[in-house]
Amino acid sequence: MPDYQTHTYDVLVIGAGGAGLSAAIEASSAGVSVGVICKSLLGKAHTVMAEGGIAAAMGNVDERDNWRVHFADTMRGGQYLNNWRMAELHAKEAPDCVRELEAWGALFDRTKDGRILQRNFGGHRYPRLAHVGDRTGLEMIRTLQDHGIHQGIAVHMECTVLRLLTADGRVVGAFGYDRERGRFLLFQAKAIVLATGGIGRAFKITSNSWEYTGDGHALAYHAGAALMDMEFVQFHPTGMVWPPSVMGILVTEGVRGEGGVLRNKEGRRFMFDDIPELYRAQTADNEEEGWRYTQGDRNARRPPELLTRDHVARCIVREIKEGRGSPHGGVFLDISWIKERLPKAEEHIKKKLPSMYHQFKQLADIDITKEPMEVGPTTHYMMGGVQVDGDTQMSTVPGLFAAGECAAGLHGANRLGGNSLSDLLVFGKRAGRYAAAFAKENTAGAIDADQIQQAAAAALQPFERSGSEGPYQVQQKLQEIMQDLVGIVRTESEMKQALVEVEKLRQRAAKVSVQGNREYNNGWHTALDLPNMLTVSEAVTRAAIEREESRGAHFREDHTAKSAEFGKINIVIGKGADGETKIARRPIPEMPAELKQTIEEMQ
Amino acid sequence: MPSATFSIWRGDRESGGLKDYSTEVSEGMVVLDAVHKIQAEQANDLSLRWNCKAGKCGSCSAEINGLPKLMCMTRLNTLPLDRPVTVEPMRSFPPIKDLVTDVSWNFRVKQGIKKFKPRPPDAPDGTWRMAQQDIDRVQEFRKCIECFLCQDVCHVLREHHHFDGFAGPRYFVHIAALEMHPLDVEDRVEELKKAHGIGYCNITTCCRKVCPESITITENAIIPLKERVADHFYDPLSRLFRMFQSKKKEGTHAGTETAAQGRDSGSAGAR
Ligand SMILES: Cc1cc2nc3c(=O)[nH]c(=O)nc-3n(C[C@H](O)[C@H](O)[C@H](O)COP(=O)(O)OP(=O)(O)OC[C@H]3O[C@@H](n4cnc5c(N)ncnc54)[C@H](O)[C@@H]3O)c2cc1C
Ligand code: SF4
Ligand code: SF4
Ligand code: FES
């Protein structure tokens, strides 16, 4: 038997981003014991990087906003594949969650009358994003962290979960290691909340950090839970493209919300050339009206730069492919032009977008108050994930919950900006509440020593091999394959090729060796992340082959139209009894008449 | 492609030393890119922390050519590449491995600081009203990314190892953010002197100079806090005034506002 330390909690939360911390706070205030595990130090999770804001229909800037409008916007953005119950709860509960953050010390930018200010963002009909300049995620995670540490929650920083432990069809614990010493850890728990974030590291150009290796998706899959909507990977239209070392780093949509415009090398605002039917009525058809919208004119319609991300990303790809791109293979994003319209524009930009100013100045020698930026699409967000119940966030495995980016449902085929941070708060809280309830109703399950044995043995194998290649080469190759063959524009033949390549990489991954010992060994950590990346890459590819249509973030060159048939189903992936991947089409449940009517009214 | 040499500290809790690695460098690269390249190609087990690669998470702190910096925000074109670039872990904290140090002490210090406590809501719907100008000043402190570079350079920690009884600049910024928060009604002045040892700071401004978020740590956070401490402990008149105020503070909501304003005007002279 391997050596390990044991920790026992009623509820174990895996992940300390916005979703994990919200879940932990809620569960502990329900009176159960709570442990939180995270791969990085506390406060460094992805949530810290979020820039633009938190979507919540508070109506502080435009009182016409309310949950119904937010619900309809979210469903339209998701092309109606969303779990409508989640979209409904999210729209209804987000405002209170934002107010709760304020009560815990978060300081949002203010309106003239002293309330929380809200800004415009793509796909949201009214100004809806509560924000703090362009560092909203930092404000959010710090507030949750500082509140959480006084709640008696046990935090295990720099620990990684390798496997979920199951017994009698439910989850009973988790097995992992601490990064610092490389010692094994057993967490016994009555309920587990997965809040592990996304999968962006499976792609070459990404705004995501090393943490985003799809661990939660893979852990859930191997524990027998169903994954849903895996074909929907969001490519954010604006990532940095130059210099090469910063390629993929995000340029917040807030730039466009503040009046930034996209141009090709001919100086044309190409977004006016292609406005989808679904959005025509809500989109400005001239530059003047678009500008007025960004400056708060309530009678103006939004400029086409603020159309949904999938669409803007594809328009950019088209411009680049057709030879109208910028020198370094992107397009131009210009905020400096607003000096033609605003006095003191430079100061205004620095005030509204301080970290963007800083980022370009320091990393690319570009002063965004004076010259345009060059931008191109970057892998950003995973809409797909663990299939959960809309109310409780429980997966198809009893006792296993999921919230935040690693859960599926709220965003459907495409997420609106700002809807993630609110997702974390609303569903993190719900997952925490129902996990606590589950823990109260159930006793601890028995731990199966075989499962521990297997996980430990697999984890140590890379040390026992020698002379073979290291993990980084395999990781890089996978990133290239996914980027090239399962990226923004997809076709069946390329994706089938990707499956073949992924299988080859699986063989290579099974042979990688690492040098050194178990203490804080990044090479070993990377070797252990590889199987998860391969699992999610395969799931993404299979789901993308299955969906023979183009919808939201999923664009098929060989099926460019939307299909009514595929509009009625979600694609679900699960692990079969013999370890094989099962793929199924799950009909979307009928929406209640009241919600249907809401959507009609908001057309 | 031209190449450059990086002298990276390799070692563990007990011992270690600089080791040279040559690698190709290209336009726009930052130190973190070079270290990653070395890790992928020559030293798979090299340990470091990073997350965002954009100066937002405060994970990649190190000492580059002896200066405390974020590796992800240090462009190679700002360093002389004709000699090796040294990359070392933060020296004030116990080493764990290579560039990774044990910063857990910082998290424990934070736990010992009294949490945010808001005044009662201003509006019947449970919300507050605040003016933008009142929060601007505190937002400066809230930009902190907890990189701990300021802790790393502070001589009270670095040379005098005063880890008991001194919170360090990061936490003076944190306390300032709480104390000057327009809604906060908690009082942390006693602990500032006793538990958090603000008196040990002799305003050398080293911390402010290294802060990657350009927070004016000394002038805007530490000095105003020191003044509050001085008022509280040494000025009998203001002590009397405070006793009177704190009675009011417990009473009505209007009272707390005056108290907050009173505290703020106390520090205005320093800025
Ligand atoms: C640059 C950028 C800007 C963004 N801006 C916005 C915005 O303005 N508005 C918006 O709504 N959204 C935005 N997003 C999206 C949003 O930030 C993320 O989707 C969200 O923060 C994810 O939160 P989370 O709690 O689900 O996961 P995270 O915050 O990523 O946390 C995941 C946690 O899980 C832990 N973990 C993972 N695997 C394991 C494991 N195996 N064992 C133990 N722990 C594990 C990690 O260590 C981490 O603590 C942005 C994203 C990026 C990258
Ligand atoms: S100013 Fe004070 S806190 Fe800052 S480095 Fe100097 S002694 Fe330390
Ligand atoms: S105050 Fe500045 S230097 Fe200190 S931890 Fe915060 S960001 Fe880093
Ligand atoms: S990696 Fe986040 S600050 Fe450097």
Side-chain angles (χ1 to χ4, degrees), chain B residues 154-155 169 201-207 218 222:
Chain B
C154 177
H155 69 101
C201 161
N202 52 349
I203 322 189
T204 57
T205 72
C206 310
C207 51
T218 34
I222 297 182

Side-chain angles (χ1 to χ4, degrees), chain A residues 245, chain B residues 24-31 33-34 37 74-77:
Chain A
S245 65
Chain B
E24 283 173 349
V25 298
S26 57
E27 198 179 354
M29 263 169 92
V30 293
V31 171
D33 295 320
K37 203 159 145 48
T74 308
R75 291 275 295 273
L76 293 182
N77 65 4

Side-chain angles (χ1 to χ4, degrees), chain A residues 44 51 105 108 110 114 139 146 149 158 180 209-210 245 249 359 362-363 365 519-520 522-523, chain B residues 13 28 33 39 44 47-51 53 56-57 75 110-111 130 132 135 142 145-146 181:
Chain A
K44 312 292 184 197
E51 293 160 357
F108 296 102
R110 315 309 291 184
E139 189 71 15
D146 293 353
I149 57 173
E158 300 199 304
E180 193 181 320
S209 83
W210 67 268
S245 65
I249 292 180
Q359 183 174 314
Q362 235 168 315
L363 296 175
D365 296 320
E519 299 210 1
Y520 220 110
N522 285 168
Chain B
R13 288 180 181 76
D33 295 320
Q39 182 190 49
N44 280 188
S47 308
L48 66 141
R49 289 193 178 106
W50 71 281
N51 282 288
K53 224 173 158 302
K56 293 194 169 78
C57 71
R75 291 275 295 273
K110 191 183 239 182
Q111 196 121 30
M130 287 178 260
Q132 183 71 39
I135 65 169
R142 300 182 65 90
I145 56 174
E146 301 199 330
H181 191 300

Side-chain angles (χ1 to χ4, degrees), chain A residues 183-466:
Chain A
R183 290 170 301 206
F184 288 126
L185 302 167
L186 168 64
F187 297 93
Q188 227 178 331
K190 295 176 189 161
I192 293 185
V193 179
L194 287 172
T196 52
I199 67 153
R201 291 304 283 180
F203 292 80
K204 186 169 158 202
I205 301 174
T206 177
S207 63
N208 294 174
S209 83
W210 67 268
E211 291 201 310
Y212 268 24
T213 48
D215 295 5
H217 296 75
L219 290 171
Y221 171 81
H222 291 299
L227 303 180
M228 188 172 92
D229 294 340
M230 293 299 282
E231 66 275 32
F232 296 111
V233 179
Q234 181 168 74
F235 298 93
H236 193 289
T238 60
M240 291 177 82
V241 296
W242 192 91
S245 65
V246 298
M247 195 182 281
I249 292 180
L250 194 75
V251 180
T252 175
E253 191 167 318
V255 175
R256 285 169 281 147
E258 298 295 339
V261 299
L262 290 166
R263 293 184 197 281
N264 61 20
K265 75 170 184 203
E266 291 151 11
R268 184 173 174 78
R269 276 182 72 179
F270 55 87
M271 286 308 302
F272 278 108
D273 301 342
D274 181 2
I275 298 170
E277 208 41 57
L278 199 56
Y279 284 93
R280 196 172 301 276
Q282 305 178 6
T283 309
D285 52 16
N286 63 81
E287 301 196 6
E288 187 53 40
E289 184 178 359
W291 165 250
R292 281 192 283 115
Y293 176 89
T294 62
Q295 298 312 295
D297 179 339
R298 300 172 37 167
N299 298 316
R301 292 169 300 173
R302 74 166 81 99
E305 275 87 357
L306 290 178
L307 284 164
T308 53
R309 289 177 174 175
D310 53 317
H311 180 73
V312 181
R314 274 195 301 277
C315 289
I316 293 177
V317 170
R318 181 195 63 214
E319 292 303 304
I320 300 169
K321 267 199 180 158
E322 293 176 7
R324 293 185 296 274
S326 64
H328 298 102
V331 294
F332 294 107
L333 170 61
D334 190 11
I335 180 85
S336 69
W337 80 279
I338 68 171
K339 57 183 175 272
E340 295 165 20
R341 305 285 185 130
L342 287 182
K344 295 202 195 151
E346 279 191 28
E347 262 167 61
H348 180 77
I349 295 168
K350 284 187 205 168
K351 169 114 199 13
K352 284 291 177 182
L353 302 161
S355 68
M356 281 304 107
Y357 173 76
H358 203 59
Q359 183 174 314
F360 274 89
K361 189 94 192 147
Q362 235 168 315
L363 296 175
D365 296 320
I366 283 181
D367 181 345
I368 65 168
T369 67
K370 300 207 167 66
E371 52 194 320
M373 302 158 241
E374 276 186 73
V375 296
T378 180
T379 314
H380 185 56
Y381 184 86
M382 183 59 181
M383 269 75 72
V386 183
Q387 183 195 328
V388 291
D389 172 73
D391 284 86
T392 64
Q393 300 287 292
M394 190 155 89
S395 72
T396 51
V397 173
L400 181 63
F401 298 75
E405 192 167 339
C406 72
L410 173 60
H411 310 294
N414 179 45
R415 172 181 75 98
L416 299 185
N419 267 2
S420 169
L421 293 186
S422 43
D423 171 10
L424 311 183
L425 295 171
V426 170
F427 294 108
K429 207 178 167 80
R430 280 186 166 265
R433 184 182 318 149
Y434 288 98
F438 187 95
K440 284 179 182 169
E441 285 160 14
N442 290 277
T443 52
I447 301 283
D448 173 359
D450 280 352
Q451 292 179 14
I452 295 180
Q453 184 80 50
Q454 283 163 12
L460 295 177
Q461 273 172 14
F463 287 115
E464 287 150 19
R465 293 185 284 257
S466 63

Side-chain angles (χ1 to χ4, degrees), chain A residues 40-44 48-49 51 99 102-111 113-115 132 134-135 138-139 142-143 145-147 149-151 157-158 180-181 201 207-211 242-246 249-250 351 355-356 358-359 361-365 470-473 476 513 515-517 519-524, chain B residues 12-13 26-30 33 39-54 56-59 72-75 77 96-98 100 102-104 107 110-116 118 125-132 135-136 138-140 142-148 170 174 181-183 212-214:
Chain A
S40 291
L41 296 170
L42 192 56
K44 312 292 184 197
V48 78
M49 290 177 230
E51 293 160 357
R99 288 182 203 115
E102 180 154 284
W104 292 345
L107 274 177
F108 296 102
D109 285 348
R110 315 309 291 184
T111 61
D113 64 351
R115 294 183 299 163
V132 189
D134 54 4
R135 56 161 191 86
L138 171 64
E139 189 71 15
R142 202 65 85 232
T143 302
Q145 173 190 349
D146 293 353
H147 185 76
I149 57 173
H150 296 285
Q151 300 275 107
M157 297 197 286
E158 300 199 304
E180 193 181 320
R181 303 257 182 184
R201 291 304 283 180
S207 63
N208 294 174
S209 83
W210 67 268
E211 291 201 310
W242 192 91
S245 65
V246 298
I249 292 180
L250 194 75
K351 169 114 199 13
S355 68
M356 281 304 107
H358 203 59
Q359 183 174 314
K361 189 94 192 147
Q362 235 168 315
L363 296 175
D365 296 320
Y472 295 99
Q473 286 68 29
Q476 276 164 14
S513 64
Q515 323 153 2
N517 61 27
E519 299 210 1
Y520 220 110
N521 186 337
N522 285 168
W524 183 40
Chain B
D12 53 23
R13 288 180 181 76
S26 57
E27 198 179 354
M29 263 169 92
V30 293
D33 295 320
Q39 182 190 49
E41 291 167 4
Q42 306 176 42
N44 280 188
D45 62 343
L46 170 62
S47 308
L48 66 141
R49 289 193 178 106
W50 71 281
N51 282 288
C52 69
K53 224 173 158 302
K56 293 194 169 78
C57 71
S59 302
C72 70
M73 295 303 274
T74 308
R75 291 275 295 273
N77 65 4
I96 290 178
K97 191 166 163 264
D98 305 337
V100 176
D102 180 355
V103 291
S104 58
F107 292 89
K110 191 183 239 182
Q111 196 121 30
I113 294 168
K114 280 189 197 150
K115 71 187 271 195
F116 173 70
D125 65 354
T127 59
W128 289 271
R129 299 289 176 270
M130 287 178 260
Q132 183 71 39
I135 65 169
D136 277 346
V138 191
Q139 282 185 336
E140 176 189 1
R142 300 182 65 90
K143 286 193 307 190
C144 170
I145 56 174
E146 301 199 330
C147 65
F148 308 132
R170 155 62 191 132
H174 180 56
H181 191 300
L183 303 184
E213 284 292 309
S214 309

